[in-house]
Amino acid sequence: MELIDGKAVAAQIKQEIAAEVEQIVAAGGKRPHLAAILVGHDGGSETYVANKVKACEACGFKSSLIRYEADVTEEELLNKVEELNQDADVDGFIVQLPLPKHISEQKVIEAIDYRKDVDGFHPINVGRLNIGLPCYVSATPNGILELLSRYHIETSGKKCVVLGRSNIVGKPMASLMMRKATPGDATVTVCHSHSKDLVKECQEADIIIAAIGRPNFVTGDMVKEGAVVIDVGTTRVPDATKKSGFRLNGDVKFDEVAPKCSFITPVPGGVGPMTIVSLMKNTLLAGKKAIYK
Ligand code: GUN
């Protein structure tokens, strides 16, 4: 069994990005600029956005954080989105999700100029992803591809089960694993809460990508010998031994599953650090206008 060290890969990629940024700046080019909008004080979102700002520093990017209280109106938020769309200094920006219930997430996502949508959530980027055109790919699936690639994990012709069908992980992940590319070319099955034979599907899988947000859902009996298991889960569970009072728990029962795997990602330190680095890669692409002019 080999542990996939997302933390180490992420650190290496950040160095690669930082080196490229210094080259760009030395040649008289523009330092990439990522802006983030954070609404309210959700603990998870606060942490994610703080980590994104920190990662920008490590990559040599400029970053801007725009904060609103949870009672901000949809109109006010949409006005800010439009302002960022028009701001030539901002190469890319994100609106951290989830948003308070009185604001339509879909409306906000669709208001973002797709050329600055470094999250890859806009329907134009989603559509382009699905037909194999250059686009911003959403961060978690892209980070997983990077791990599969850097660990030389064969995906062509393999049976891949994706657990979960969310717009930001499950669906784009399934699309990427089935595309004509490397990594890709897999036979993909997507399972979700209504799937009848989920356990059997997992038992037959060469690669399992678990993104359902249910701690310890994937147990030892569900995984075949030699499988590759990618754990996207990051549920906060209370833990009195931690300073924060909680720990992150994956979707995979690691102790049972790991001994059967050829490769597995730990939680934390697996997919998580790669997600943020994928956003940094998209921001670099945005700064270079590599995908859209
Ligand atoms: N909330 C959970 N994941 C993400 C993400 O990748 N981007 C944004 N904007 N919000 C999120």
Side-chain angles (χ1 to χ4, degrees):
M1 185 275 289
E2 189 172 349
L3 205 57
I4 297 178
D5 190 344
K7 202 173 158 185
V9 174
Q12 194 191 328
I13 295 175
K14 273 188 275 191
Q15 280 186 4
E16 291 167 13
I17 295 172
E20 190 174 341
V21 168
E22 291 324 309
Q23 273 181 8
I24 291 168
V25 172
K30 182 182 175 300
R31 197 175 282 284
H33 180 186
L34 175 70
I37 301 179
L38 174 59
V39 179
H41 297 273
D42 172 75
S45 294
E46 291 266 7
T47 306
Y48 290 137
V49 169
N51 286 337
K52 287 170 188 178
V53 170
K54 233 169 74 183
C56 280
E57 281 168 28
C59 292
F61 297 166
K62 181 175 172 185
S63 69
S64 304
L65 174 56
I66 299 135
R67 302 194 63 130
Y68 290 102
E69 290 302 320
D71 62 357
V72 65
T73 64
E74 186 179 90
E75 190 191 1
E76 202 175 340
L77 195 57
L78 290 171
N79 287 339
K80 179 52 79 174
V81 167
E82 190 48 33
E83 190 188 313
L84 295 174
N85 284 342
Q86 302 294 338
D87 186 340
D89 192 60
V90 173
D91 297 298
F93 67 98
I94 63 156
V95 180
Q96 186 65 31
L97 305 178
L99 292 171
K101 278 199 216 38
H102 67 278
I103 298 173
S104 162
E105 287 186 353
Q106 202 51 39
K107 210 165 162 181
V108 171
I109 288 169
E110 288 184 40
I112 298 171
D113 184 333
Y114 69 93
R115 293 165 297 188
K116 293 190 177 189
D117 168 39
V118 285
D119 260 334
F121 292 171
H122 191 284
I124 290 180
N125 282 311
V126 175
R128 290 176 67 95
L129 174 73
N130 277 284
I131 56 174
L133 294 176
C135 63
Y136 293 117
V137 178
S138 67
T140 300
N142 216 17
I144 292 168
L145 285 194
E146 186 78 48
L147 288 176
L148 294 172
S149 170
R150 293 209 179 206
Y151 278 81
H152 309 291
I153 293 168
E154 182 64 75
T155 59
S156 177
K158 300 293 182 187
K159 283 191 177 183
C160 175
V161 166
V162 177
L163 299 177
R165 55 176 159 178
S166 71
N167 289 340
I168 68 176
V169 184
K171 279 187 211 146
M173 193 74 244
S175 182
L176 289 164
M177 290 302 284
M178 75 170 87
R179 73 185 174 158
K180 283 190 185 178
T182 306
D185 289 323
T187 304
V188 180
T189 304
V190 179
C191 294
H192 47 77
S193 50
H194 290 251
S195 296
K196 285 221 163 61
D197 275 323
L198 185 148
V199 171
K200 187 163 156 280
E201 297 289 353
C202 287
Q203 284 167 341
E204 291 171 357
D206 302 302
I207 303 168
I208 297 175
I209 302 174
I212 39 171
R214 286 169 65 178
N216 302 329
F217 181 84
V218 179
T219 47
D221 59 300
M222 289 166 68
V223 177
K224 83 170 177 189
E225 209 62 51
V228 175
V229 174
I230 306 293
D231 190 349
V232 185
T234 54
T235 308
R236 286 181 165 198
V237 299
D239 184 340
T241 70
K242 300 279 181 203
K243 209 164 61 185
S244 58
F246 68 86
R247 66 188 154 82
L248 292 182
N249 203 122
D251 288 349
V252 176
K253 201 162 188 181
F254 187 88
D255 294 349
E256 272 182 35
V257 171
K260 302 181 82 173
C261 295
S262 56
F263 293 90
I264 187 168
T265 60
V267 175
V271 173
M274 291 303 296
T275 294
I276 291 194
V277 141
S278 299
L279 176 66
M280 299 298 119
K281 286 185 98 172
N282 280 348
T283 303
L284 179 60
L285 291 171
K288 296 198 290 188
K289 305 234 180 304
I291 294 175
Y292 305 115
K293 293 297 160 216

